[in-house]
Amino acid sequence: MKEWTREELYRAVQESDREELRQLHETIKESPWRSDFHIQTVTGLLNDPNGFSRFNGKWHLFYQWFPFGGVHGLKHWYHVTSDDLVTWKNEGLAMKPHLLEDNRGCYSGSGLVKGDTLYLAYTGNNKDIHWVRHPFQMLAKMDKNGKITKSQVPLIYEQKGYTEHQRDPKLFEHNGRYYILLGAQNEQKKGVFLLFTSEEIEKGWKLLGELKVRGYEDFGFMIECPDIEKIGDKWLLLFSPQGLEEQGDLFRNKYNNGYIIGRMDFDNLEFIPESEFCELDRGLDFYAAQCACQDVYPDAAIMTAWFGCGEYKTPVTDEQGYSGLLTLPRMLKIEGNRLLQTPVPEAKKLRGNVLFEAKNGSIVRDTMHGLMPSSCIMRLEDPDSESVNLNLFSRPRKNGFMISYDKFRKTLVLDRSDMNNQFNTEFGAERKVKLENGLKSLEIYVDRSSVEVFVNDGEYVLSARMFPEKEENLIRMGGRNIDLTVWSAVKSVEDDFVI
Ligand code: FRU
């Protein structure tokens, strides 16, 4: 792996870099792990989704972007748009660090649509000459022509009483007031939420104080990417706490991302949980989820996340000069005190031709003949056999990427340990979920270097990256009397070079 100097890492993109990036993209484009229907980095590294919103008749989404290679360097914002959350178009660079306040990166933030303007709140990651970090919460505005203008004056300055870790503003409106929910670390090195308010978006921001979450006073050393959504009459608090201890099958990733359902008491600055903290995803690669500012689905939230995690490596693509995907957008609904997560309804459009179909265990159609398509969508219904096994991207005597369910243990397992390319193995290569209500359905989205498994129409989701080699091209399916359909996937993202 190339060693990056500080100078190379903290390089802001210039018009004159176009040719260099075009060449990088030319090689990246040939990689077998570029996706067919996931938002992927144009070049370099992608991490968190930012500014997700429905504005001016389209979905807008930005991602944290370092243009020059598969490493965490100077963060820019890259812009993509969609009419339907399925087909995505590369729009190019949205923001680059050019102010003193964001000299070492335009870090994560959110979008709020008001009239003809999409407001984008983000963290200016300033570092001084001694390389000490000073966070500023900044604002940019996008107009209806897509022109983005950054404000020069911070909305919120560095807060006393907290460490340098203050970031990822969630800008939202409630009862005619504006709020910013910020992730931070206090001087005792605990993760906290800070809540600010103002009557205007562009100025007048005041700290209300810490938002207390009853029962979660000591929950990790930092909170990143907070988000808060009202769904029906409940509130959903989503966040990425760092430093949770592993607990059996829970919290096994380096950093975790979860939610609590509850009530929001703005007067007493308190979030009152009505559910436990649950992981949004029980797979191996998921972080920094963000919900869209939108009014298309009033009683639901639309969410996407980074299909990765801080400090993870994906060596095979990192070396090819790129890293990172966003997960499929999901629809979140609350039923009782449970969150249901399904692919957005529009994801049905991703189903192409039926490649394989088994009804009650008998094969009705099969054009795959044991060969694994590099991307596809699979759905399995009501298995009543003792166990179900799917071995994707396998080869003789190797399990490949394994998804299996044991009816007696009521346990679903995802296991990538038998694939050629191993990575981040210090966090294990398998994940287990106990299905209290048994297995009713699996909907699986396979896209060249990723697998997302939706269990029982939204009860759990497990997502994992994987990088199959050419010879890992077989599929095996086991289980009696199962109904299984495999569709080819419709290509909905173009790998075109737009910067
Ligand atoms: C989460 C995160 C954010 C930060 C951004 C920088 O992955 O660390 O807290 O704003 O990434 O890229």
Side-chain angles (χ1 to χ4, degrees), residues 47-48 64 72 75 107-108 167-168 224-225 287-288 306:
N47 56 301
D48 311 353
Q64 286 283 285
H72 288 275
K75 296 296 165 68
Y107 272 15
S108 286
R167 56 179 169 265
D168 310 336
E224 292 192 318
C225 304
Y287 198 66
W306 176 21

